[in-house]
Amino acid sequence: MSWVSKTLNSTLGRKVLMALTGLFLILFLVVHLAGNLQLLIPDGGEAFNKYAATMANNPFIKVVSIGNFAFILLHVIYSIILSRHNKKSRPVGYSITKASSNSTWASRNMGILGTLLLIFILVHLKGFYYEVKFGSIPMTSYEGVEFKDVFAIVSAAYSNVLYVAFYVLSMGFLAFHLSHGFASAFQTLGLNHVKYSPLIRKVGLVFSILIPALFALIPLVMFFQN
Amino acid sequence: MNLTLKIWRQKNNTDKGGFKEYKITDISEDMSFLEMLDVLNEQLSTKGEDPVHFDHDCREGICGMCSLYINGNPHGPQQTTTCQLHMRSFKDGDTISIEPWRAKAFPVLKDLVVDRSSFDRIIQAGGYVSVNTGGVPDANEIPIPKSIADLAMDAAQCIGCGACVAACKNASAMLFTSAKISQLALLPQGQVERKIRAENMVAQMDAEGFGACTNTGACEAECPKGISITNIARMNREYFSAVLSSDTV
Ligand code: HEM
Ligand code: FES
């Protein structure tokens, strides 16, 4: 084995891949949210549809989107590899554990939370990404230029109470995943420092509440407006 | 105090093992947990039964031999070693469950005794200074600031008891290994072998079958010596700067 593959296959190397891909996904969430918030502009979806078209045609965004898929895939693959390895490290378990006395629930259930997020991501991709890219969707025009009416698809989905409930619940899972993941990624990268770590933990907490809350707000508002 | 003990009994490494219940009476709350087990063992011996095997040595909280997973926590309800845990931490009539450390890298030898030589092999992989550092130097001759020496001493407090592994949901040995890497990485004597030490000790830790770290912090919360997980962050830095810059290909 070369030193590169040896490093990436070590427990530390695998964790660094988790942390780097996780941090990328965190960055992606911010950009994604900025786009989604345009759904709330009361213009019948014009700003959002124009934005969606710009994103779909921009070559830089195309590269980033391929990267994003690759990173989600890597994050998931390594979460499976790590979880299996960790399970094998304790073949016989304890009859009683008081884990809540020494660690948070989210930190012990990253795998379950991640799996729930994966289900959400797949449903989400099927409903929006796949439909917009390959499905037949209604067109609309602004100033004589044709645009895909992505807003109509989103708005239809968000009038379904089950979909909205699923969305809001999933954002709850995201909040818990991030409540541990955000700060954890920095620790994994070795960035633990008396000056910065308290700040990272605070920013992580605010981020893990604010971002999922704003994501969840959009379908809720659109549902009640409909 | 009168207590019910649920103790893991296992004849040997291949035996399946199981819990056995014992009633014990007239325990003083000033006894240490191990003394309470001594009383039980005396009674078992008198009856001609096999006494409960458990590890212990110094009984003053410095050797790390005493293990025992008590009522769901390593070393029981206090953040201390089992030998320093006293019966006043329990109530009359309590049922106390006692299990061995559970990890693939800590196989059970008998009852509550586990084989922790995997820790020794991690140390053998590089947890020492092999260059000749000469005789005992004058206290002020080695240029090392007090604040750094303190950090090294904090890491060196690790007694290798294995509570970190026992507490971790992944049975990870990162707190132990990182403390042993840190105590030398921080000091001038450790510089010569700094890179190869980090690489080899991490490789050995993985080879022993310990889990990876999820940063739950359970290890730090249970460590009787209060070793901080900042050491794990330091190990991650040491390891990656070592693999990126060392001559090992
Ligand atoms: C928007 C989506 C996601 C984001 C932003 C995200 C972010 C993160 C971050 C920052 C970490 C911390 C890494 C570390 O401790 O160093 C993490 C850990 C983890 N993630 Fe995700 N994640 C996402 C989706 C997923 C999915 C879909 C899965 C699995 C199916 C998953 C499974 C895990 C697991 C198991 C861990 C803990 C790994 C460990 O330390 O043992 N995540 N995630
Ligand atoms: S017997 Fe030595 S630390 Fe407990």
Side-chain angles (χ1 to χ4, degrees):
Chain A
M1 256 197 297
S2 84
W3 67 272
V4 179
S5 58
K6 209 163 94 187
T7 305
L8 293 182
N9 278 318
S10 69
T11 47
L12 264 55
R14 288 170 175 170
K15 265 314 299 255
V16 160
L17 285 177
M18 274 315 273
L20 289 176
T21 51
L23 282 178
F24 178 86
L25 293 178
I26 281 177
L27 214 60
F28 168 75
L29 286 179
V30 178
V31 179
H32 193 337
L33 178 64
N36 282 15
L37 283 173
Q38 299 178 55
L39 284 163
L40 293 182
I41 301 173
D43 62 355
E46 181 172 344
F48 182 74
N49 280 339
K50 285 184 171 165
Y51 161 78
T54 324
M55 291 305 260
N57 298 327
N58 185 327
F60 173 70
I61 295 297
K62 277 194 181 138
V63 175
V64 173
S65 120
I66 293 171
N68 195 34
F69 280 121
F71 286 144
I72 293 180
L73 207 63
L74 264 181
H75 193 78
V76 171
I77 291 172
Y78 273 88
S79 82
I80 296 170
I81 294 176
L82 277 168
S83 302
R84 286 183 47 148
H85 174 85
N86 292 342
K87 265 243 135 47
K88 269 196 276 178
S89 302
R90 175 167 293 134
V92 182
Y94 296 108
S95 72
I96 302 177
T97 50
K98 286 217 188 89
S100 55
S101 69
N102 58 35
S103 51
T104 62
W105 182 86
S107 73
R108 297 192 305 274
N109 290 284
M110 291 299 274
I112 294 169
L113 289 166
T115 309
L116 293 165
L117 284 178
L118 182 64
I119 295 171
F120 171 77
I121 292 170
L122 292 177
V123 171
H124 183 70
L125 285 176
K126 168 72 184 74
F128 297 132
Y129 183 83
Y130 182 84
E131 285 304 318
V132 171
K133 252 203 138 76
F134 309 107
S136 66
I137 73 162
M139 300 297 281
T140 178
S141 68
Y142 306 111
E143 297 105 31
V145 186
E146 286 251 298
F147 284 93
K148 287 184 175 180
D149 199 355
V150 186
F151 181 83
I153 298 217
V154 176
S155 152
Y158 292 173
S159 60
N160 178 346
V161 66
L162 284 179
Y163 193 89
V164 173
F166 171 64
Y167 197 109
V168 172
L169 198 64
S170 298
M171 289 308 108
F173 302 144
L174 179 63
F176 276 105
H177 199 73
L178 293 179
S179 74
H180 176 69
F182 191 101
S184 175
F186 289 90
Q187 162 81 3
T188 301
L189 296 178
L191 302 168
N192 188 323
H193 192 279
V194 280
K195 275 191 182 140
Y196 308 111
S197 295
L199 182 68
I200 291 172
R201 276 194 290 275
K202 275 193 204 101
V203 171
L205 189 67
V206 172
F207 188 95
S208 68
I209 297 169
L210 193 66
I211 299 289
L214 286 174
F215 266 113
L217 188 71
I218 298 163
L220 282 174
V221 168
M222 290 176 72
F223 177 77
F224 287 111
Q225 273 175 356
N226 268 337
Chain B
M1 301 170 79
N2 300 331
L3 301 160
T4 307
L5 306 173
K6 268 184 66 188
I7 302 181
W8 184 263
R9 302 299 311 257
Q10 183 173 337
K11 281 200 191 68
N12 52 47
N13 184 240
T14 49
D15 179 30
K16 230 179 128 253
F19 281 98
K20 213 168 160 201
E21 231 178 72
Y22 301 93
K23 298 263 184 229
I24 188 161
T25 51
D26 291 332
I27 293 296
S28 150
E29 59 180 23
D30 295 329
M31 280 183 181
S32 80
F33 199 85
L34 298 185
E35 282 166 342
M36 181 275 293
L37 286 178
D38 291 339
V39 171
L40 171 73
N41 275 348
E42 243 171 66
Q43 294 176 0
L44 290 178
S45 301
T46 326
K47 281 195 276 182
E49 286 180 38
D50 192 21
V52 176
H53 289 240
F54 60 88
D55 262 329
H56 62 107
D57 188 10
C58 71
R59 296 207 173 194
E60 51 187 32
I62 54 172
C63 75
M65 272 315 276
C66 56
S67 42
L68 307 190
Y69 198 82
I70 303 163
N71 276 351
N73 291 101
H75 298 134
Q78 311 279 334
Q79 196 181 355
T80 184
T81 55
T82 302
C83 58
Q84 297 301 301
L85 175 69
H86 289 84
M87 294 315 291
R88 52 181 166 270
S89 299
F90 300 89
K91 288 197 304 292
D92 185 35
D94 273 1
T95 298
I96 305 176
S97 128
I98 312 172
E99 301 175 69
W101 283 177
R102 295 290 190 191
K104 182 176 157 206
F106 288 166
V108 174
L109 296 176
K110 187 172 166 63
D111 296 342
L112 303 167
V113 179
V114 297
D115 177 2
R116 280 171 281 187
S117 58
S118 46
F119 269 11
D120 300 337
R121 289 187 292 275
I122 293 176
I123 297 291
Q124 280 164 11
Y128 49 81
V129 170
S130 62
V131 288
N132 194 345
T133 54
V136 179
D138 186 75
N140 293 321
E141 207 178 343
I142 296 181
I144 170 105
K146 171 95 168 62
S147 58
I148 303 287
D150 282 350
L151 281 180
M153 274 307 286
D154 287 347
Q157 292 239 29
C158 169
I159 52 177
C161 63
C164 44
V165 174
C168 176
K169 77 177 182 68
N170 306 332
S172 170
M174 298 241 181
L175 193 64
F176 168 79
T177 310
S178 68
K180 300 303 179 188
I181 287 177
S182 290
Q183 64 183 11
L184 297 175
L186 286 162
L187 296 179
Q189 295 92 329
Q191 299 314 304
V192 182
E193 294 158 303
R194 184 170 176 174
K195 292 177 187 173
I196 193 79
R197 173 181 307 113
E199 288 180 285
N200 287 350
M201 288 179 75
V202 169
Q204 189 62 36
M205 171 180 81
D206 285 352
E208 297 292 346
F210 290 106
C213 176
T214 301
N215 302 323
T216 67
C219 52
E220 177 185 74
E222 298 287 2
C223 175
K225 297 295 158 184
I227 307 288
S228 159
I229 56 170
T230 53
N231 288 300
I232 299 183
R234 183 181 295 106
M235 171 172 73
N236 295 355
R237 296 198 295 275
E238 289 292 323
Y239 178 71
F240 286 103
S241 64
V243 289
L244 288 173
S245 67
S246 77
D247 300 334
T248 340
V249 279

